[in-house]
Amino acid sequence: MKKYKMDLHVHTPASKCYLGPKTDDEYFEILSAASNQGIEILAITDHNTVAGYERLVQLKEDVLKKIEFLEQYQNESYRMKEEYDDMVAKRNLFENLLILPGVEITLNPGIHILVIGNHNDVDKLSDILDDTGYSKEKRGSDNDNAIDVDIVNFLKNPKLKGLIVSAPHIDSKNGIYAEMDGHYRSSVMKSDVITSFSINSDSQKENIIRMFSSNPEYKREKMPAFINCSDAHESAKVGNKYSYVEMEAKSFSELVALFDAPDGRITDTDDDRLIIIQTSHTENGLRSLKTLYF
């Protein structure tokens, strides 16, 4: 088993609210920032579009073509050697990261949800956007009133099967916990379709863990994973919040399986003393949660 550092909520210039330069160079800056922060798993989750991930794929193809061309001429001039070395460095950024396609979808009533897939799931993610009402002219923007599909009905979409569905920043604006209440909120938070939550406040995280552990209305078959994500809207913020996942290999399939049964292998630290998160079960669900160290 190895621990991998991940950030599963990152925006690119394809999000209309992106704060950095909206250039191709900025995509490489995002990857470079992730690499500098030690991130090994990165999800591109633009607002209601997969265009940012698609642009990254095209940029990678362009880099590989340039390397193929320059390889035979790199020693013929200083300028060609310099460009070749630059392309190799950019290729390495792609090769050292598991870059996953995702989307941050805005649902009625202004709730955000992340859906993350594998490299071959881009068309499925685009289909989910179509199903939800995000036509091409609506993509890339974060508009609370853009579509009429509510989150309860959205979670019934069979195309979500096999993907990672995560609730971001649930205790802040556009988050499930902050924006919803009553039975409507509990019906969403206890849905097993959502396998992870990110929470900005540590104290709020403890409250929500206790809620899942002791409140019958929030009873779930399995305790969800709790992760940290940057929600970066500029390259400088990429990787400033992160989690560690312990897996045999750096792959999407292993990540899906891990989110389905975290068992203490998704943590805020790479401290090897961390061994397990224990829970006890009663008829009303999960009773207690604690972290053991040795």
Side-chain angles (χ1 to χ4, degrees):
M1 289 281 188
K2 179 183 174 181
K3 285 189 175 181
Y4 299 95
K5 192 176 182 181
M6 71 177 186
D7 183 356
L8 297 186
H9 191 173
V10 171
H11 295 268
T12 76
S15 289
K16 292 182 180 179
C17 58
Y18 189 75
L19 300 176
K22 296 192 176 181
T23 63
D24 284 346
D25 285 344
E26 185 68 4
Y27 285 90
F28 292 109
E29 288 297 323
I30 290 168
L31 300 188
S32 180
S35 179
N36 290 339
Q37 289 282 16
I39 298 296
E40 296 165 280
I41 303 172
L42 187 74
I44 302 300
T45 53
D46 284 305
H47 287 294
N48 306 305
T49 184
V50 291
Y53 180 83
E54 290 176 323
R55 186 59 190 152
L56 269 174
V57 171
Q58 183 60 58
L59 289 171
K60 180 181 180 181
E61 291 177 0
D62 293 345
V63 165
L64 294 178
K65 287 178 183 177
K66 286 183 180 179
I67 288 175
E68 185 179 6
F69 173 75
L70 291 168
E71 200 159 24
Q72 56 187 321
Y73 301 113
Q74 61 172 303
N75 294 320
E76 293 191 8
S77 75
Y78 174 79
R79 181 172 293 179
M80 281 191 167
K81 174 62 174 172
E82 190 176 54
E83 186 177 1
Y84 175 78
D85 290 344
D86 180 54
M87 291 299 109
V88 169
K90 287 178 176 176
R91 180 194 65 189
N92 291 343
L93 289 174
F94 286 102
E95 292 183 346
N96 293 334
L97 285 164
L98 173 61
I99 307 171
L100 301 173
V103 61
E104 183 172 14
I105 303 179
T106 308
L107 299 160
N108 188 25
I111 300 298
H112 290 184
I113 201 82
L114 299 180
V115 184
I116 299 166
N118 206 355
H119 63 90
N120 57 353
D121 289 321
V122 177
D123 287 343
K124 182 191 282 190
L125 292 170
S126 187
D127 288 345
I128 290 170
L129 286 169
D130 286 337
D131 293 345
T132 311
Y134 281 101
S135 53
K136 293 191 182 300
E137 64 271 13
K138 293 180 180 178
R139 296 196 182 188
S141 62
D142 174 22
N143 186 336
D144 290 353
N145 302 309
I147 52 94
D148 294 327
V149 176
D150 71 274
I151 189 168
V152 172
N153 286 317
F154 174 82
L155 294 174
K156 296 176 182 177
N157 190 327
K159 292 174 185 173
L160 296 174
K161 185 176 176 60
L163 304 176
I164 293 172
V165 180
S166 180
H169 46 68
I170 67 169
D171 55 334
S172 61
K173 187 177 185 296
N174 302 115
I176 290 172
Y177 188 81
E179 300 285 355
M180 303 168 69
D181 55 27
H183 179 68
Y184 191 42
R185 181 172 72 184
S186 64
S187 67
V188 173
M189 292 189 69
K190 71 182 181 182
S191 169
D192 288 333
V193 177
I194 302 175
T195 55
S196 68
F197 296 85
S198 63
I199 307 173
N200 291 319
S201 163
D202 289 338
S203 60
Q204 192 69 276
K205 178 179 176 180
E206 295 299 323
N207 291 336
I208 290 169
I209 288 173
R210 281 194 294 271
M211 183 179 70
F212 278 128
S213 303
S214 59
N215 188 332
E217 191 174 359
Y218 287 82
K219 179 182 177 181
R220 291 174 58 114
E221 291 295 321
K222 304 171 186 176
M223 180 67 78
F226 295 94
I227 60 175
N228 296 318
C229 302
S230 69
D231 190 11
H233 283 69
E234 56 184 311
S235 60
K237 301 292 186 182
V238 175
N240 69 351
K241 290 185 180 179
Y242 52 83
S243 290
Y244 288 91
V245 288
E246 189 175 8
M247 304 185 296
E248 291 286 352
K250 187 170 59 176
S251 72
F252 177 73
S253 60
E254 287 217 20
L255 196 61
V256 170
L258 184 56
F259 272 67
D260 189 52
D263 296 332
R265 292 187 291 131
I266 301 178
T267 67
D268 296 344
T269 176
D270 61 350
D271 191 336
D272 289 334
R273 296 179 305 152
L274 185 63
I275 56 174
I276 196 168
I277 294 177
Q278 284 193 337
T279 58
S280 60
H281 296 263
T282 69
E283 290 184 358
N284 291 326
L286 296 160
R287 176 187 292 166
S288 63
L289 181 80
K290 62 180 179 178
T291 304
L292 301 180
Y293 292 85
F294 64 87

